[in-house]
Amino acid sequence: MQKIADTQIHSLPSSTRRAEGESLYTILVFSENLAGILNQVTAVFTRRQVNIESLNVSASSTPGVHKYTITCYCTEEMVKMLKKQIEKRIDVLQARYYTDDEIFLQETSLLKISTPVMLENPDVCHIVRQHGARIVEVNPTYAAVEKTGSTEDILSLFDALNRLGVVRQFARSGRICITRGTREQLDDYLAEREKEKMQ
Amino acid sequence: MLALKAEGVRTIFGYPGGSIMPVYDALYDYTRGEKKAFDHILVRHEQGATHAAEGFARVSGEVGVAIVTSGPGATNTLTGVADAMIDSTPIVVIAGQVPISALGTDAFQEVDLVGVAQPISKWSYQIRRAEDIAWAVSRAFYIARSGRPGPVVLDFAKNAQTELVEFMVETVDFVRSYVPYPKLEQEAVQAAANLINGAQKPLALVGQGVELGNAQDELIAFLEKADIPAGRTMLGLSALPSTHPLNVGMLGMHGNYAVNLKEQECDVLIAIGMRFSDRVTGNLKTYAKQAKVIHLDIDKSEINKNVKTTVAVVGDCKASLPALTALINKADHKAWRDSFKPLDEMERVRVIEPAIHPQEGPLRMGEVVNAVAEATQGDAVLVTDVGQNQLFATRYFRYPKRRSICTSGGLGTMGYGMPAAIGATFGAPGRTVCCFMGDGGFQMCIEELGTIMEQQAPVKMILMNNNYLGNVRQWQDMFWNRRKSFTRMMNPCYELLAKGYGIPYKAVTDRKDLAAAVSTMLTTQGPFILECAILEDDDVLPMTPPGKSVEEMQLEVR
């Protein structure tokens, strides 16, 4: 039986410590599909000394518009400033910030766990099932586990498995989200701008 | 060329090189003969091209243009780009770039210009194919001049310069992701008017935004209707004529005494087209805490950035000022205005008089500035370098006319003065351009003497030589135990230098010769260097020490 690397993950790099008055915000940015905009957006955070917790970039449902989902811990005053400074970039259409109760959110993660350890310890499979995670592949060396959910769900699975010394690799995606509001603010903005263009 | 012509460009400051040769080859035709559309000013360093473009833009209200080559040519422009960004100056920098086939290969004179320019420019874009030229150039000028102006950088790949396409004029006057003139919110205007109508001690702070928005008349109408005294920021000095009775002086660390103290006493503070720079506010924790703050600005990201605003009126002051004027009541604040006078008098006696009319000792910067200001009353454009020369010059010059000041306010770029003054002579050809520099800043873009010589640009250079980097020396004396670490400077013989460039020169060491020398400078056609031997340890006063509250402004060095 092939043995995979002996190295074990002991703990995750701790996320930014929250200071007084800071909370987690999710910032949605929509931009034109031009080169170099991601740099401009992240530069705003760097200048304002705010750490980005997670970042996801993808095409949006509007053709030619890119969507950035960025999470960070900061004060409300700061997130307002970040929003305005991001929107100041010429090719950014809109930036909005949300707290967790204003969005549907999801993250996904993948864990590579040792098959021999899993076979020795029945708790491993138990924990995987208990957390609603999915084993997507098993071979004699390792198993690949997928877990989708909130940050807390994912970290809780990781911690539980890691305590058993079974985790060999771990990867977590940035957050993706859709808003709970009934208005589509980007569509409203684009319609408004289209109207102004006609005038 | 055609795209630049379509944007109304007349003057280009530039320096050729390998990756921009196709453009320069075309420029050869467009700067002479029947095709002539532009004047091209060959500078001596690309940084000079950007500062000249800035000076041109400041005095003319048009977009300044600089054309340079790739690599070092491009990176040499970055100081000017950053300067234009922080001071909201509309310039377009067109830099050559290696052909797209060579991009990313560390080709000769290749640098990722868009990457390095992004955080310090309003917009930067790489033109990779000839089809995009008309669109990109028009978009660049639209973005540079509209809304809150700023620098735009075009990185122009060499292959796009040589490809041939049919030129179709493309006029960009709409970018859906960019709202240059935000719509005025009537409720905000009403709320601001209510505050002003209830004010007993209103104070207006006027910034360059008024000048950029061409709202000088609208400002006067507004101030006069409600009888509101107004201080100006350094960049806003000519937005309100210095002769206007409601002008109460310059704001900031080395501004006027009364207005700095009154910021801590007013009940309503009305900021118009200014950004509450730290040089204006001093310690933010204690700044104008007693006042309700109204902030008029075209850039919403300035609102609540430094000073908490009670009412924000986001929009172009050309529109917001008249809207506000319509809603405010006529008022008389004579008692409040009169309360500035004893403080003004205190500053006059303790600071201004000794600075501009000293009786003994070596020449002082203040008296040199005052002598030039008196001799040019009315028309001259003031250009300064950075440091004590800038602070004395901005304090003691006069600004009866609009668009009369070019200075590096936000970035504090030494070396800005000489090239900016060259640009100003082209931007305002009918006006006298006086450029005050210290011996430090004079040497920082000294190569532009070559441009002045070649163009016979009528820059009146006043070199105030104190053999020191004076402003840093002042801080060392005040805050660093008088340890003058590398601020004393050995100077060349400026007379020989002037001779080498064939520029008329005169030196003044004695105050009785000053007026005559200034008069010679002003009556001599073309450029002139007037070197004044200045008191070595002259201090700029008054001063709010860094980090202190504005009411802690000092009239004397303690």
Side-chain angles (χ1 to χ4, degrees):
Chain A
M1 192 183 298
Q2 196 193 341
K3 198 166 176 260
I4 67 168
D6 229 10
T7 48
Q8 226 196 65
I9 302 169
H10 294 292
S11 65
L12 281 180
S14 62
S15 67
T16 327
R17 203 143 296 177
R18 266 187 274 180
E20 191 117 355
E22 293 189 345
S23 42
L24 182 66
Y25 289 99
T26 300
I27 304 173
L28 288 182
V29 180
F30 293 95
S31 84
E32 299 290 5
N33 181 16
L34 290 171
I37 298 175
L38 178 60
N39 273 347
Q40 298 179 43
V41 172
T42 55
V44 172
F45 289 82
T46 314
R47 274 190 80 187
R48 282 282 167 178
Q49 303 170 68
V50 175
N51 282 334
I52 292 176
E53 290 291 315
S54 82
L55 167 69
N56 181 280
V57 187
S58 64
S60 75
S61 58
T62 310
V65 173
H66 270 226
K67 176 176 180 172
Y68 306 66
T69 310
I70 304 166
T71 62
C72 63
Y73 284 101
C74 63
T75 62
E76 185 171 12
E77 203 177 328
M78 178 60 80
V79 78
K80 282 182 181 167
M81 194 47 71
L82 290 171
K83 166 199 147 61
K84 287 191 282 191
Q85 293 191 329
I86 294 169
E87 281 189 340
K88 190 170 168 174
R89 302 314 305 179
I90 300 289
D91 297 310
V92 169
L93 291 154
Q94 195 176 62
R96 290 278 182 275
Y97 62 90
Y98 302 92
T99 50
D100 282 2
D101 54 343
E102 296 168 311
I103 49 178
F104 299 102
L105 58 97
Q106 209 68 269
E107 283 173 31
T108 192
S109 65
L110 292 167
L111 297 100
K112 187 176 187 180
I113 60 177
S114 157
T115 304
V117 179
M118 179 169 72
L119 294 176
E120 275 162 28
N121 189 343
D123 284 355
V124 173
C125 278
H126 182 66
I127 287 170
V128 169
R129 275 198 301 276
Q130 200 182 28
H131 280 79
R134 218 158 53 89
I135 295 180
V136 290
E137 185 177 314
V138 190
N139 63 36
T141 317
Y142 65 84
V145 177
E146 181 210 304
K147 165 70 188 157
T148 298
S150 68
T151 315
E152 292 72 30
D153 295 343
I154 288 168
L155 290 182
S156 145
L157 170 67
F158 171 80
D159 284 341
L161 290 176
N162 202 34
R163 267 196 294 274
L164 304 177
V166 69
V167 180
R168 295 295 178 259
Q169 285 184 34
F170 174 68
R172 180 153 65 100
S173 74
R175 165 181 287 194
I176 55 169
C177 77
I178 49 179
T179 59
R180 287 179 184 270
T182 50
R183 303 291 301 258
E184 296 310 320
Q185 291 183 320
L186 177 69
D187 294 347
D188 291 352
Y189 172 84
L190 291 175
E192 172 80 5
R193 292 296 289 152
E194 205 53 39
K195 218 166 71 193
E196 284 166 24
K197 185 183 180 179
M198 294 305 153
Q199 281 166 11
Chain B
M1 291 300 117
L2 294 172
L4 290 175
K5 209 171 144 184
E7 293 299 329
V9 174
R10 297 176 290 134
T11 309
I12 295 166
F13 302 93
Y15 205 96
S19 293
I20 196 74
M21 283 180 71
V23 169
Y24 267 85
D25 191 58
L27 202 54
Y28 189 83
D29 289 332
Y30 283 91
T31 48
R32 71 200 69 218
E34 60 187 44
K35 268 192 177 172
K36 181 173 160 68
F38 315 112
D39 290 317
H40 176 272
I41 315 305
L42 178 68
V43 294
R44 295 298 184 268
H45 186 290
E46 291 88 350
Q47 183 186 349
T50 51
H51 293 324
E54 287 186 273
F56 177 90
R58 281 275 181 89
V59 297
S60 68
E62 297 169 35
V63 178
V65 180
I67 301 184
V68 301
T69 192
S70 65
T75 54
N76 280 344
T77 65
L78 293 173
T79 303
V81 171
D83 191 274
M85 184 68 177
I86 198 163
D87 281 351
S88 308
T89 309
I91 64 170
V92 170
V93 174
I94 299 172
Q97 179 58 284
V98 299
I100 53 170
S101 57
L103 279 174
T105 65
D106 298 331
F108 179 64
Q109 294 193 331
E110 181 197 355
V111 75
D112 174 14
L113 178 61
V114 168
V116 290
Q118 253 167 7
I120 52 168
S121 62
K122 192 172 172 187
W123 190 58
S124 50
Y125 188 76
Q126 187 170 62
I127 304 176
R128 295 177 186 160
R129 14 172 249 167
E131 295 94 299
D132 294 341
I133 294 172
W135 169 83
V137 169
S138 181
R139 201 177 199 255
F141 277 83
Y142 171 64
I143 289 170
R145 71 162 75 92
S146 61
R148 179 177 178 175
V152 172
V153 173
L154 290 176
D155 190 29
F156 197 179
K158 196 168 182 182
N159 59 291
Q161 298 175 37
T162 49
E163 288 162 10
L164 289 177
V165 286
E166 189 74 35
F167 178 78
M168 303 270 278
V169 176
E170 205 165 320
T171 309
V172 175
D173 57 5
F174 179 85
V175 172
R176 70 172 179 172
S177 57
Y178 168 58
V179 184
Y181 304 103
K183 235 182 280 164
L184 266 188
E185 284 177 23
Q186 200 51 41
E187 307 89 83
V189 177
Q190 186 62 59
N194 293 347
L195 280 182
I196 294 169
N197 288 336
Q200 302 301 311
K201 298 174 174 179
L203 177 62
L205 310 180
V206 174
Q208 192 198 192
V210 171
E211 204 126 79
L212 293 170
N214 288 318
Q216 298 93 339
D217 290 338
E218 289 79 358
L219 172 72
I220 291 173
F222 165 75
L223 295 175
E224 285 179 352
K225 184 165 178 189
D227 194 28
I228 302 171
R232 302 103 81 230
T233 66
M234 186 181 278
L235 291 179
L237 281 171
S238 61
L240 176 69
S242 46
T243 45
H244 195 281
L246 288 172
N247 161 37
V248 290
M250 181 165 82
L251 305 170
M253 183 179 258
H254 294 284
N256 289 109
Y257 188 56
V259 70
N260 268 284
L261 264 55
K262 293 295 178 179
E263 284 171 307
Q264 303 297 72
E265 194 189 324
C266 64
D267 56 359
V268 176
L269 196 62
I270 309 143
I272 309 166
M274 58 86 76
R275 62 184 178 88
F276 289 111
S277 138
D278 57 275
R279 297 289 115 158
V280 164
T281 62
N283 187 348
L284 278 172
K285 288 198 179 77
T286 55
Y287 180 74
K289 286 296 172 201
Q290 81 294 343
K292 299 261 195 292
V293 177
I294 301 171
H295 195 172
L296 282 69
D297 207 289
I298 198 164
D299 177 359
K300 68 180 175 196
S301 75
E302 287 299 342
I303 308 297
N304 288 327
K305 188 182 79 176
N306 294 339
V307 171
K308 267 244 163 302
T309 299
T310 318
V311 176
V313 181
V314 179
D316 184 357
C317 55
K318 184 95 182 166
S320 56
L321 280 172
L324 201 47
T325 307
L327 297 179
I328 56 175
N329 302 332
K330 262 191 175 322
D332 181 347
H333 295 294
K334 183 165 187 307
W336 163 238
R337 281 193 289 107
D338 284 348
S339 74
F340 284 65
K341 287 182 181 154
L343 295 168
D344 282 339
E345 182 58 15
M346 209 190 284
E347 182 185 353
R348 194 185 67 76
V349 171
R350 284 163 62 182
V351 177
I352 299 177
E353 273 305 308
I356 66 174
H357 296 127
Q359 297 306 312
E360 51 185 23
L363 279 172
R364 296 195 60 187
M365 290 197 194
E367 68 180 317
V368 174
V369 174
N370 187 58
V372 177
E374 278 183 355
T376 56
Q377 284 261 354
D379 190 61
V381 172
L382 172 68
V383 184
T384 80
D385 206 78
V386 166
Q388 288 188 322
N389 64 87
Q390 173 185 38
L391 302 164
F392 276 112
T394 49
R395 278 181 61 80
Y396 298 121
F397 213 68
R398 329 267 206 266
Y399 315 89
K401 283 196 166 181
R402 297 169 182 184
R403 291 195 172 273
S404 293
I405 175 153
C406 302
T407 191
S408 172
L411 201 64
T413 308
M414 279 178 70
Y416 168 94
M418 196 188 294
I422 296 171
T425 62
F426 287 94
R431 300 178 67 182
T432 305
V433 175
C434 295
C435 180
F436 290 87
M437 290 170 279
D439 42 311
F442 190 93
Q443 292 184 77
M444 220 181 248
C445 278
I446 198 167
E447 75 287 345
E448 298 308 331
L449 284 173
T451 312
I452 292 175
M453 167 190 70
E454 183 174 340
Q455 301 294 333
Q456 281 300 299
V459 180
K460 308 300 180 192
M461 290 168 271
I462 301 107
L463 167 59
M464 301 197 286
N465 185 352
N466 57 5
N467 296 309
Y468 267 109
L469 299 173
N471 209 27
V472 181
R473 196 273 314 144
Q474 179 175 346
W475 283 46
Q476 286 171 340
D477 277 350
M478 291 175 77
F479 314 118
W480 297 92
N481 281 330
R482 302 194 162 76
R483 285 155 57 89
K484 298 185 182 46
S485 182
F486 299 100
T487 42
R488 185 159 182 93
M489 195 177 221
M490 192 174 167
N491 274 298
C493 171
Y494 290 102
E495 184 172 9
L496 281 177
L497 204 62
K499 204 167 180 186
Y501 284 102
I503 297 172
Y505 167 95
K506 206 168 178 61
V508 183
T509 49
D510 196 325
R511 83 173 31 93
K512 70 178 181 348
D513 304 327
L514 181 61
V518 168
S519 165
T520 308
M521 171 180 79
L522 293 173
T523 50
T524 304
Q525 289 286 314
F528 198 96
I529 297 175
L530 178 66
E531 182 180 0
C532 303
I534 297 288
L535 171 65
E536 290 199 342
D537 53 358
D538 203 355
D539 292 317
V540 190
L541 289 163
M543 178 178 194
T544 307
K548 293 282 170 70
S549 297
V550 286
E551 79 271 12
E552 294 177 77
M553 185 171 227
Q554 303 172 188
L555 290 169
E556 282 97 18
V557 175
R558 283 185 211 128

